[in-house]
Amino acid sequence: MKMDLSRFDVRLATTDEEVRAAQHLRYRVFVEEMGATVPPEDAALKIERDRFDPYFDHLLLIDRAAAEDDPARVIGVYRLLRGAVAKAGPGFYGAGEFDLTPLLELDRETVELGRSCVAQEFRAGSAMLLLWNGVSRYVRDHGIEVMFGTASFPGTDPAPLAEALSHLHHAHLAPPDIRVRAQPDHGIDMNLMPAAQVNAGRAMRATPALIKAYLRLGGFVGEGAYVDHGFNTIDVCLLMDTERMVAKYRDFYSRD
């Protein structure tokens, strides 16, 4: 799909109605498409939300061609929680899946990225790139040095994903100073195959596009994966350190 980029706006939500529109989109993607479960009262409203939403900044991709009062005008979302906000209030969402101690001990500003999704009809265009441009501005404006968040493989059975998960473990494991680890209650080892038996090309073809994109930017993964039965996914923790990023992408995240 070729997108008329002037038709779209990327900015943070400023009203409760805009946050609710983001939650509607998340319901369409995570519940209706991916099979996540939500409480009955949220299903009745067709929204996906949690207790962390009030603390996150919600980055929106807005279709200006849609009516002002149409929730479907929000066609892409990201939610962002700065370390300074998390430490003063709710903590990080990802702490429920990963031991984030290495990040909490950093004397550097961090941001947790999550709930990234784009409406199905816009996924073949530049929607995600537009959202990333918004993230880059956010990172620059807040002096953020480390970005992290969970990203998902569909399904909860690790067996079909053994090669992909093993490749992440052998080729993209985070350095020790930022290496978070999956919580033991639903954590699984990603080292499911010896490195010599992993076909990197085949493994990457089985890896979701969002994870591959972060790896191309110079990202890493934490140790172990987390089986999230509520969202019907297997999650890895992606981490990006601006000091370690490939130079051209570091420039992307710091440019005006």
Side-chain angles (χ1 to χ4, degrees):
M1 173 191 292
K2 186 175 180 179
M3 296 175 65
D4 176 9
L5 301 187
S6 64
R7 170 179 162 179
F8 301 94
D9 187 22
V10 180
R11 60 172 176 79
L12 296 178
T14 58
T15 66
D16 291 342
E17 290 75 19
E18 289 180 340
V19 172
R20 182 56 59 93
Q23 293 167 338
H24 277 299
L25 176 60
R26 284 158 43 181
Y27 183 89
R28 288 166 54 195
V29 174
F30 298 125
V31 178
E32 295 182 343
E33 292 184 36
M34 296 178 61
T37 57
V38 297
E41 59 270 25
D42 292 350
L45 296 170
K46 292 189 178 295
I47 59 173
E48 189 280 309
R49 60 182 172 179
D50 64 22
R51 69 180 181 87
F52 292 90
D53 271 340
Y55 300 93
F56 273 86
D57 289 325
H58 298 264
L59 185 68
L60 311 178
L61 177 60
I62 296 171
D63 181 4
R64 293 196 189 105
E68 285 280 344
D69 59 350
D70 184 358
R73 72 194 301 262
V74 173
I75 60 137
V77 300
Y78 243 119
R79 67 177 192 177
L80 308 102
L81 180 62
R82 287 178 287 125
V85 177
K87 291 173 184 177
F92 288 115
Y93 168 84
E97 298 188 6
F98 293 87
D99 179 357
L100 303 179
T101 300
L103 303 182
L104 298 175
E105 293 176 345
L106 291 176
D107 187 24
R108 307 166 69 192
E109 182 61 288
T110 59
V111 67
E112 181 177 29
L113 310 176
R115 293 298 199 272
S116 168
C117 61
V118 173
Q120 189 173 39
E121 59 269 31
F122 292 95
R123 288 177 200 159
S126 302
M128 187 55 69
L129 182 59
L130 290 171
L131 281 170
W132 277 3
N133 271 302
V135 172
S136 74
R137 292 197 302 270
Y138 190 93
V139 166
R140 179 200 64 209
D141 292 346
H142 292 285
I144 290 163
E145 298 182 54
V146 178
M147 297 164 272
F148 72 97
T150 59
S152 303
F153 287 83
T156 56
D157 181 3
L161 306 173
E163 190 166 45
L165 292 173
S166 298
H167 177 67
L168 292 180
H169 174 84
H170 294 304
H172 298 286
L173 195 62
D177 62 312
I178 59 171
R179 188 181 301 167
V180 305
R181 288 172 171 80
Q183 298 285 12
D185 56 345
H186 292 286
I188 58 171
D189 192 349
M190 291 199 299
N191 186 13
L192 301 173
M193 295 173 59
Q197 296 180 14
V198 173
N199 180 297
R202 187 169 58 219
M204 290 303 284
R205 287 193 292 274
T207 300
L210 182 63
I211 297 175
K212 288 190 285 191
Y214 276 107
L215 298 179
R216 293 191 195 102
L217 291 173
F220 306 101
V221 296
E223 186 169 340
Y226 187 88
V227 181
D228 186 343
H229 293 282
F231 265 76
N232 190 36
T233 59
I234 292 177
D235 298 341
V236 299
C237 188
L238 291 167
L239 304 110
M240 295 180 63
D241 183 340
T242 57
E243 291 185 355
R244 292 180 168 109
M245 288 169 68
V246 179
K248 66 178 180 179
Y249 295 120
R250 185 170 57 245
D251 292 342
F252 171 81
Y253 271 94
S254 61
R255 71 190 181 191
D256 291 330

